[in-house]
Amino acid sequence: MAASIDLDYPFTGRWLVQNSPANRVPSHGTTLFATSYAIDFVPVGGTGRTAPITFGSLVRPEPPERFPGFGRPILAPVAGVVLAVHDTEPDHPAYRGLPSIGYALSQRRRAAAGWVALAGNHVLIEHADVVVALCHLRHGGVEVRPGQRVHVGDVLGRCGNSGNSTEPHVHVQAIDNRDVEHANAVPVTFRGSLPRDGEVITAQEPHRNSR
């Protein structure tokens, strides 16, 4: 198994770090589906915040289009070959406040339904015997196909809110084979380091044709 893999950021602009393995492992509180070293990035506006919290946000689900990063390009963080693409899951409402409690209670059901129910629309890229997964992509926005060779910075799809997601974001993880349910997690870094929860990353255009 690969010791680790260094990635570029799969986006440009400002993104908030959540569920980072720099803070704890397993980063998402479980080893299920090889997520021990997975990390989430939430797109934010110029103030470093997502959609403003209102009274409505606290009592009812919100359309994903209300969030600043919904539809932002998601880029290849590594050069490689696209192993698999899934692009049929709908983008569901975002859940904050009281709605998030009910959504959390349905977590077990989604986990029991398998990888696709959790990952939503996603792309798998193979690089040097490591598979990198980018998840929760926008329905209808995936721009690559299986077997396609991609370079760092190529557009894979758009930030969405499909699968197990409370608001638009991108989930990144690396594994040692394409069979996610039986794979081992591979640690990741980004441009040589690993950001911590709460950091806001401002990513510039990646160096293309690298890694």
Side-chain angles (χ1 to χ4, degrees):
M1 185 181 77
S4 64
I5 185 170
D6 187 48
L7 305 174
D8 213 310
Y9 286 109
F11 46 72
T12 59
R14 293 168 64 82
W15 295 66
L16 173 68
V17 179
Q18 292 186 344
N19 298 317
S20 172
N23 289 78
R24 68 169 182 173
V25 176
S27 58
H28 286 60
T30 178
T31 59
L32 190 66
F33 300 109
T35 56
S36 292
Y37 304 107
I39 188 169
D40 295 326
F41 297 99
V42 180
V44 295
T47 63
R49 300 178 182 275
T50 64
I53 294 284
T54 65
F55 177 76
S57 308
L58 301 177
V59 297
R60 58 178 176 268
E62 303 168 90
E65 294 84 359
R66 185 169 182 269
F67 290 76
F70 185 70
R72 279 191 196 173
I74 299 299
L75 313 177
V78 70
V81 176
V82 177
L83 285 183
V85 167
H86 186 84
D87 191 22
T88 62
E89 305 302 309
D91 290 291
H92 56 72
Y95 301 98
R96 299 189 289 181
L98 291 176
S100 69
I101 298 174
Y103 190 71
L105 293 175
S106 62
Q107 171 84 3
R108 186 182 297 273
R109 172 178 55 78
R110 288 189 295 280
W115 162 252
V116 170
L118 293 176
N121 302 317
H122 60 274
V123 173
L124 302 182
I125 301 172
E126 184 175 38
H127 170 88
D129 297 323
V130 176
V131 177
V132 179
L134 298 102
C135 307
H136 310 308
L137 303 180
R138 183 176 181 173
H139 178 228
V142 175
E143 299 186 21
V144 293
R145 63 188 184 279
Q148 179 177 340
R149 181 167 294 278
V150 295
H151 301 285
V152 172
D154 287 351
V155 176
L156 303 176
R158 303 283 163 173
C159 180
N161 200 47
S162 60
N164 187 45
S165 176
T166 56
E167 67 177 280
H169 74 287
V170 62
H171 168 105
V172 183
Q173 69 182 87
I175 55 181
D176 65 355
N177 71 76
R178 66 184 300 167
D179 183 0
V180 183
E181 296 193 16
H182 299 96
N184 296 302
V186 175
V188 297
T189 54
F190 294 86
R191 299 180 182 177
S193 63
L194 187 59
R196 299 182 65 83
D197 282 2
E199 287 188 40
V200 174
I201 302 299
T202 302
Q204 306 300 321
E205 188 75 17
H207 300 295
R208 291 179 178 270
N209 302 322
S210 62
R211 292 189 175 85

